[in-house]
Amino acid sequence: MAEKPPARGKNTADDRNLIDAEASESGLDFETWVINFWQANRRTILTAIILALVIVVGLQLYRIISAHQESSTREAYAEATTDEAKKAFAESHRGHPLAGAALLSLADSAYARGDYNEAAGLYEEAASDLELPVLAFRAGLGQGVSLIQFGLQSKGEPILLGLAENTSAPEAIRSEAWYHLASLAIAAGENEKARGYLDSIEELSPVGIWASRATALRNTLPAPVAE
């Protein structure tokens, strides 16, 4: 059977032309796409770029200012050589670790001259500003001992016991706390409690200055009563 000829006026290449048109429309070159995208979104893009620049510049300025302030703080601390100067420095730099160091020095001076009440308060203030744990523990120890020396054993003894039992504290701090607690127990006639505290020192630091002091203190105790 003979093939039917195409209808008059119809182009057999119509489908091909449609495909070519679609390909041409969807295949815009990259440069044209970028231009179109920029024109549609340039305000948003510019805002994002400016915001990013502001953040970067702000961070750099913050670092520069912080470094300058830290340098100035260190210089001021080095220049504070008297108790009055250290007190003024601590007041003007509250919360800074160097303020804690100044307060710790002031507390040591107060303790040395026998002003135990003032020393206890300064040690407590210092502990809240000091960043190094070993110095914070040392301030806590000073506070506890100062309170006891001032006659407030009921307040100082729990501080020492907390330090002695704190496994995060340095061995030297814990051993000294145990030693003071043992001395208090002996003064109160609680010899068995004192022996327990001294045992804790020897378990914690079997050799060293606190072990030697524990042995010397143990030798002052009467012999245990045989059961």
Side-chain angles (χ1 to χ4, degrees), residues 11-59:
N11 191 341
T12 56
D14 281 352
D15 291 342
R16 187 183 67 250
N17 290 339
L18 286 173
I19 294 173
D20 291 344
E22 291 175 1
S24 175
E25 187 175 333
S26 62
L28 292 174
D29 61 89
F30 182 72
E31 183 179 353
T32 304
W33 181 88
V34 170
I35 292 171
N36 291 340
F37 183 83
W38 166 255
Q39 290 175 343
N41 301 279
R42 60 183 175 182
R43 181 172 295 181
T44 301
I45 294 171
L46 286 172
T47 302
I49 292 172
I50 293 170
L51 181 60
L53 287 173
V54 168
I55 292 172
V56 170
V57 172
L59 286 173

Side-chain angles (χ1 to χ4, degrees), residues 166-185:
N166 189 339
T167 56
S168 298
E171 290 182 1
I173 296 290
R174 296 181 64 196
S175 296
E176 185 173 352
W178 283 126
Y179 182 86
H180 289 300
L181 290 167
S183 299
L184 291 172

Side-chain angles (χ1 to χ4, degrees), residues 196-221:
Y197 292 153
L198 295 172
D199 289 343
S200 295
I201 294 175
E202 292 171 353
E203 290 173 6
L204 186 64
S205 305
V207 295
I209 184 173
W210 292 110
S212 298
R213 291 186 179 183
T215 299
L217 193 59
R218 189 188 296 276
N219 290 336
T220 67
L221 292 170

